[in-house]
Amino acid sequence: MLDKQEEERKQMQAVYLKEKGNDFFKQGKWEDAVECYTKGLQCDALNAVLFANRAMALIKLQKYAAAIADCDCSIELDDGYTKAYLRRATAHLKLEHKKEGDITHMKRTLPPSDKPM
């Protein structure tokens, strides 16, 4: 069992790696971004944003099935994180999964508070 200081250190490291991954993403260095997000998840495996960010980088690398899996993890951790739903729909569309990529289907899978009127 990790002590509180070690836990905080790992969470800070995860934040640092997310930011570093975001910088790589902005530069179009998708593989480097994926590597940073992956390392961040090794520090904080319950971080929905890291999963969703890695999914976006995977979409850029045309690794759509892996992106869907990361979005599923992100949604499982935080079912209100709308970006994960949008990224999952994008990946499904790229794989020509018409139903799952359809906006109407996506609206049905969103939590009630996030459904557009």
Side-chain angles (χ1 to χ4, degrees):
M1 187 166 162
L2 295 174
D3 65 11
K4 188 171 174 95
Q5 278 186 321
E6 180 64 14
E7 183 96 14
E8 287 176 8
R9 187 193 67 75
K10 284 190 165 247
Q11 286 186 337
M12 288 175 55
Q13 182 69 12
V15 169
Y16 167 77
L17 288 163
K18 178 181 73 79
E19 291 170 3
K20 189 174 175 184
N22 290 348
D23 289 341
F24 281 131
F25 187 90
K26 290 173 190 171
Q27 296 171 34
K29 297 179 178 179
W30 321 124
E31 283 132 2
D32 292 331
V34 167
E35 184 178 331
C36 283
Y37 299 139
T38 300
K39 287 179 181 176
L41 285 164
Q42 291 168 354
C43 296
D44 182 4
L46 301 178
N47 189 317
V49 174
L50 281 169
F51 276 109
N53 285 7
R54 186 170 71 176
M56 191 66 226
L58 290 166
I59 288 169
K60 294 291 188 178
L61 292 168
Q62 299 180 0
K63 296 180 179 181
Y64 306 119
I68 291 167
D70 272 2
C71 289
D72 288 343
C73 289
S74 179
I75 291 165
E76 187 174 315
L77 291 168
D78 180 358
D79 68 358
Y81 191 47
T82 308
K83 284 184 181 181
Y85 290 94
L86 294 170
R87 291 171 184 172
R88 183 173 66 180
T90 299
H92 276 297
L93 281 173
K94 295 292 186 178
L95 288 173
E96 298 185 5
H97 296 162
K98 304 268 189 249
K99 178 184 172 200
E100 292 85 352
D102 181 69
I103 191 71
T104 305
H105 176 77
M106 188 181 73
K107 285 181 191 176
R108 285 193 303 267
T109 62
L110 285 173
S113 63
D114 286 344
K115 287 187 180 178
M117 303 198 96

